[in-house]
Amino acid sequence: MLVMFCCFLCSFIATSNAGDILRANQPIKNDETIVSAGDEFELGFFSPGSSKNRYLSIRYKKAGEAIVWVANREAPLTDASGTLVLSSEGTLNILNGTNSTIWSSNSSKSKSIKNPVAQLLKTGNLVIRAGDDPDTGNFLWQSFDFPDNTLLPGMKLGKKIAKNSSAGRDWSCRSWKSSDDPSPGTFQVEIDISGYPQLFLLNGSTKYFRSGPWNGVRFSGIRTSGPNGIFVFDFVFNEDEIYYKDELVSSSVLTRVTVEPDGRVIRYTWTDQSNKWEQYIFLQADLCDVYAHCGPFGSCNIYTTSRCECLKGFHPKNLTAWSHLNFAEGCEPKTKLNCSSKDTFVKQLKKNLPDTHTSQYNFSLDLKACEKKCLEDCSCTAYANTNITGKGSGCLLWFGDLIDIRDQGEVAQDFYVRFAASGSARRIALIVFLSIILITTVVLGFYMWHVCKHRKQITEEMLENEVDYEKEDLPFFDFRTISNATNNFSNNCKLGEGGFGPVYKGTLEDGKEIAVKKRSACSMQGVEEFRNEVSCIAKLQHRNLVRLLGWSTTEEGERMLVYEYMPNKSLDYFIFGDNANKALLDWPQRYNIINGIAKGLLYLHEDSRLRVIHRDLKASNILLDYNMNPKISDFGMARSFGDGETESNTARVVGTYGYMSPEYAMDGAFSIKSDVYSFGVLVIEIVSGKKNRFFTHPDHNLNLMGHAWKSYKENRLSELIDVSVLSSDQDEVFRVILIGLLCVQQYPEDRPNMSSVLMMLTSKATLPHPKQPGFFNERKLDEADTSHSTLCLSSLNQTITIVAPR
Ligand SMILES: *[C@@H]1O[C@H](CO)[C@@H](O)[C@H](O)[C@H]1NC(C)=O
Ligand SMILES: *[C@@H]1O[C@H](CO)[C@@H](O)[C@H](O)[C@H]1NC(C)=O
Ligand SMILES: *[C@@H]1O[C@H](CO)[C@@H](O)[C@H](O)[C@H]1NC(C)=O
Ligand SMILES: *[C@@H]1O[C@H](CO)[C@@H](O)[C@H](O)[C@H]1NC(C)=O
Ligand SMILES: *[C@@H]1O[C@H](CO)[C@@H](O)[C@H](O)[C@H]1NC(C)=O
Ligand SMILES: *[C@@H]1O[C@H](CO)[C@@H](O)[C@H](O)[C@H]1NC(C)=O
Ligand SMILES: *[C@@H]1O[C@H](CO)[C@@H](O)[C@H](O)[C@H]1NC(C)=O
Ligand SMILES: *[C@@H]1O[C@H](CO)[C@@H](O)[C@H](O)[C@H]1NC(C)=O
Ligand SMILES: *[C@@H]1O[C@H](CO)[C@@H](O)[C@H](O)[C@H]1NC(C)=O
């Protein structure tokens, strides 16, 4: 009864105009709204943030009341006296208190229409049309043609080419000044069509971020790739229109992309389960994304210390400036170009393509013809395919400087750069190459010998030199405190052997429980891991990452690290344990653990301040707190983007068999997608209660990933599930397995990134079909002998290091 009364009251308070249509000469006042069919969007006068001004806006009715479009951005109403009127000619006008028109919808079609109506469509598009003509092609005006700071599904981002019969149009999104002030800010996302189309984020008139051209599949520089089950996107490129658009896959998830006042471009998603807008950074994630960071002919690689490298065949123009990390002048060819038909082209591997501002293209040429065309024109500097699908097709030509290139394993494309014809060039290159190999071998051999002989001495030096504990702001615990806490490092307190030494449990005087990691002195590996751990984790704080509390030294000067104590051991103890142990983790807990790991990993990958690739994600590195919340531990192998990465390190493959992605184990190529692969393995292990490594099945020779894939193909997923999980919500379990399979797909570009994974986990959206997993029947590598490569470690299950075959 009371409820009914409330509803009755509410219907009076929220004076919605009951319906999605506004008719001519039926004004909407300050406190009235019209609502789209399905209740998603509403149109009315609202005040964004803490502003007192009123703006005619469209906002999500329920989803956080987020405003997605503002009409009078530049002409705020300062009081509640505004009205919206549709004139009988079909123009929307906002009138202020003294009946002056402060904003008007300007329709390009001059002819007036009969019986006009304004309607707020289900998509959030406000349209003006003839009352008896709902045909979308005949809208007199629509708000989707005048984007604000938000790109909604169904909205176009791009350009309409002006023809003499109709005007051109620019669909671009511009940020607000601040969250309280929707007047135009400085950042704008637009499609530039001056050359081959590409997406730009501008700060004023300065190019701030560039996506790279559309490569037939996606914008080549945007890393938010892979299937996500929430939206699909499309790029239309014809004589009349060039635009990007995405569409929702299911109505259970909402998504929008917003250009924020500070220049971040964020994709937001909302589900009823999350009940808030979850954020995923969409463009510009790191330094290499800054436009032209490495100057002409330079290429940015986020994994190297200096970041900038010259393209193959090029060297820095000004070595002094270059070595002072001033890259603006860029690189020049080692052999000066002197146009000749004998010029050759050097293939540049896996790059985000250069700025296409002054490029030319022809879709009907293939790569061979493309090369010929480039050779014929002296100012042509490079060429590539326009469409990477299949063997590739189309021809894209660059003229002049090549700007804004980055190394980008996941979504990259090869292209070809002009190289001066010189008979001796190849021979010289070969000689240089051989000499480098020879020298490297000698130096490496000497180094190894040296290391073995003086290992201990070197480790000490490295520690002193490379870990600046004070600089990391890490608290210091004195030895006596730690010694007392751990009962003088008694064996009773020993929790186990970590990646690089014993770990002890301790209790500080105030009762706080800690875990202390000692470094064992015997290996080089230990030192580096120790250093890594400190430099990576000290700056990171997240509820799904193990917290480093401080450091200490033994009396002999050995370093120790102090962590928060995790009472519930590690995940492998439960999921691979005996049936009693397994039963301790029911499905909701397992689901929560998967979610937690995903969140921790997302934080590592996409925190824009310090992006980290863990490289050794596995069940034994997931620790559990009192409430069985997962915490990712052991950052000994992690690489942060700000970290000094040398050539030899990239040749060192570290990780654990069974969790390593194919491209990483084979080629040493690691990226966030190799972590995604490990995550996928972990997910399937959590659901199945079996180890990927050592998995056997009576019917076939596949490993666990192969078995999961086979079960999926044969529609027998229930056979994969652990008994302790069997009785739970099967749909949810299947869904999670599917997400796991998407993560272990063979090719990194097919795997979703962690933000997509979280979106898929937290929504009920339909998932794409996974392709074949990597390593699904490759037992050879799995069973390789690891004992030589492990130094201090003995257990087979441990992290290993191998030197990648090059
Ligand atoms: C309405 O707008 C006109 C013209 O901009 C202005 O002169 C007038 O003061 C405004 N009235 C109110 C109530 O804001
Ligand atoms: C504004 O127009 C409305 C409707 O035409 C009228 O009722 C009202 O008196 C006008 N207000 C002023 C201040 O002119
Ligand atoms: C409407 O269009 C006319 C002519 O094209 C222009 O002068 C006027 O400023 C426009 N008004 C608004 C509010 O955009
Ligand atoms: C464009 O204008 C030119 C000259 O004014 C005319 O010859 C041509 O037919 C027009 N094209 C279209 C598509 O209207
Ligand atoms: C955008 O440009 C303005 C003015 O040139 C500058 O002050 C500001 O720092 C820039 N913002 C970013 C994020 O680069
Ligand atoms: C790219 O090439 C594939 C295969 O040739 C074709 O199906 C697709 O339509 C092309 N895409 C574009 C945008 O041209
Ligand atoms: C190279 O860069 C340095 C430092 O930026 C500058 O002083 C010098 O003039 C440059 N040399 C040339 C040849 O441009
Ligand atoms: C460039 O080529 C022309 C004609 O082949 C030749 O005369 C000239 O000396 C060459 N210049 C250089 C710098 O090699
Ligand atoms: C593209 O190449 C084809 C084949 O050489 C040629 O016929 C066509 O005119 C070219 N198109 C453009 C726009 O240059």
Side-chain angles (χ1 to χ4, degrees), residues 540-583:
L540 300 175
Q541 272 193 43
H542 188 269
R543 52 180 266 116
N544 296 112
L545 302 184
V546 166
R547 190 102 168 73
L548 184 60
L549 300 176
W551 64 290
S552 179
T553 56
T554 63
E555 279 163 325
E556 296 83 41
E558 291 278 13
R559 296 291 194 266
M560 295 182 290
L561 296 181
V562 181
Y563 299 85
E564 61 177 336
Y565 173 65
M566 290 291 127
N568 276 324
K569 305 202 177 64
S570 53
L571 184 58
D572 54 340
Y573 173 79
F574 296 96
I575 59 173
F576 304 141
D578 54 27
N579 285 343
N581 280 356
K582 285 182 172 181

Side-chain angles (χ1 to χ4, degrees), residues 302-320:
I302 201 74
Y303 300 114
T304 61
T305 325
S306 62
R307 297 227 170 74
C308 287
E309 291 161 351
C310 289
L311 289 178
K312 244 194 281 170
F314 289 75
H315 60 197
K317 209 166 187 172
N318 181 340
L319 205 55
T320 327

Side-chain angles (χ1 to χ4, degrees), residues 540 542 544-545 593-607 610-618 622 630-632 635 671-680 682-683 743 752-755 757-758:
L540 300 175
H542 188 269
N544 296 112
L545 302 184
I593 287 170
I594 291 170
N595 247 306
I597 301 169
K599 282 182 184 153
L601 213 49
L602 175 67
Y603 173 79
L604 288 179
H605 287 178
E606 303 198 0
D607 173 59
L610 183 79
R611 291 159 57 97
V612 172
I613 300 176
H614 187 281
R615 297 209 299 173
D616 197 18
L617 197 67
K618 56 180 169 180
I622 306 297
K631 306 224 177 196
I632 301 173
F635 288 74
S671 67
I672 54 174
K673 293 294 181 71
S674 28
D675 271 359
V676 171
Y677 183 92
S678 312
F679 174 80
L682 197 48
V683 165
C743 291
N753 58 16
M754 287 316 294
S755 54
V757 169
L758 255 172

Side-chain angles (χ1 to χ4, degrees), residues 361-407:
Y361 52 91
N362 186 335
F363 293 131
S364 51
L365 297 179
D366 64 6
L367 209 55
K368 198 85 206 133
C370 198
E371 173 173 347
K372 190 158 167 283
K373 192 140 198 256
C374 191
L375 214 48
E376 283 165 4
D377 187 328
C378 282
S379 57
C380 176
T381 44
Y383 68 90
N385 274 138
T386 53
N387 183 348
I388 61 166
T389 314
K391 286 207 174 98
S393 59
C395 174
L396 183 55
L397 301 170
W398 281 266
F399 301 89
D401 287 352
L402 301 175
I403 297 171
D404 195 35
I405 306 159
R406 73 174 287 172
D407 273 57

Side-chain angles (χ1 to χ4, degrees), residues 209-335:
F209 169 84
R210 185 188 63 95
S211 74
W214 187 262
N215 61 20
V217 181
R218 64 188 157 241
F219 285 111
S220 67
I222 293 184
R223 264 160 303 149
T224 324
S225 62
N228 59 61
I230 293 175
F231 59 90
V232 290
F233 51 82
D234 192 15
F235 187 70
V236 170
F237 186 2
N238 59 37
E239 286 174 349
D240 303 322
E241 294 181 315
I242 299 171
Y243 63 84
Y244 166 92
K245 182 165 90 166
D246 50 49
E247 298 281 2
L248 283 180
V249 172
S250 91
S251 56
S252 64
V253 197
L254 307 176
T255 181
R256 65 188 161 102
V257 176
T258 301
V259 189
E260 296 293 338
D262 59 5
R264 285 175 308 153
V265 179
I266 299 180
R267 179 174 288 282
Y268 292 89
T269 64
W270 173 288
T271 60
D272 287 339
Q273 293 99 310
S274 71
N275 206 37
K276 67 172 202 265
W277 287 102
E278 303 265 12
Q279 296 189 9
Y280 308 94
I281 300 281
F282 184 58
L283 301 178
Q284 241 211 7
D286 56 45
L287 251 177
C288 278
D289 280 344
V290 174
Y291 180 76
H293 184 61
C294 295
F297 302 104
S299 172
C300 197
N301 183 343
I302 201 74
Y303 300 114
T304 61
T305 325
S306 62
R307 297 227 170 74
C308 287
E309 291 161 351
C310 289
L311 289 178
K312 244 194 281 170
F314 289 75
H315 60 197
K317 209 166 187 172
N318 181 340
L319 205 55
T320 327
W322 193 268
S323 56
H324 287 92
L325 307 184
N326 179 1
F327 304 116
E329 287 183 63
C331 308
E332 61 185 5
K334 286 178 185 158
T335 320

Side-chain angles (χ1 to χ4, degrees), residues 95 97-99:
L95 309 178
T98 48
N99 285 355

Side-chain angles (χ1 to χ4, degrees), residues 612-674:
V612 172
I613 300 176
H614 187 281
R615 297 209 299 173
D616 197 18
L617 197 67
K618 56 180 169 180
S620 57
N621 280 346
I622 306 297
L623 306 184
L624 299 166
D625 73 2
Y626 279 101
N627 300 317
M628 296 304 244
N629 286 317
K631 306 224 177 196
I632 301 173
S633 77
D634 206 335
F635 288 74
M637 307 295 164
R639 278 286 172 274
S640 82
F641 289 21
D643 198 357
E645 174 81 7
T646 62
E647 277 302 311
S648 61
N649 273 3
T650 32
R652 237 182 97 224
V653 174
V654 294
T656 303
Y657 284 141
Y659 292 94
M660 272 193 273
S661 61
E663 77 279 5
Y664 180 42
M666 309 284 223
D667 303 329
F670 66 90
S671 67
I672 54 174
K673 293 294 181 71
S674 28

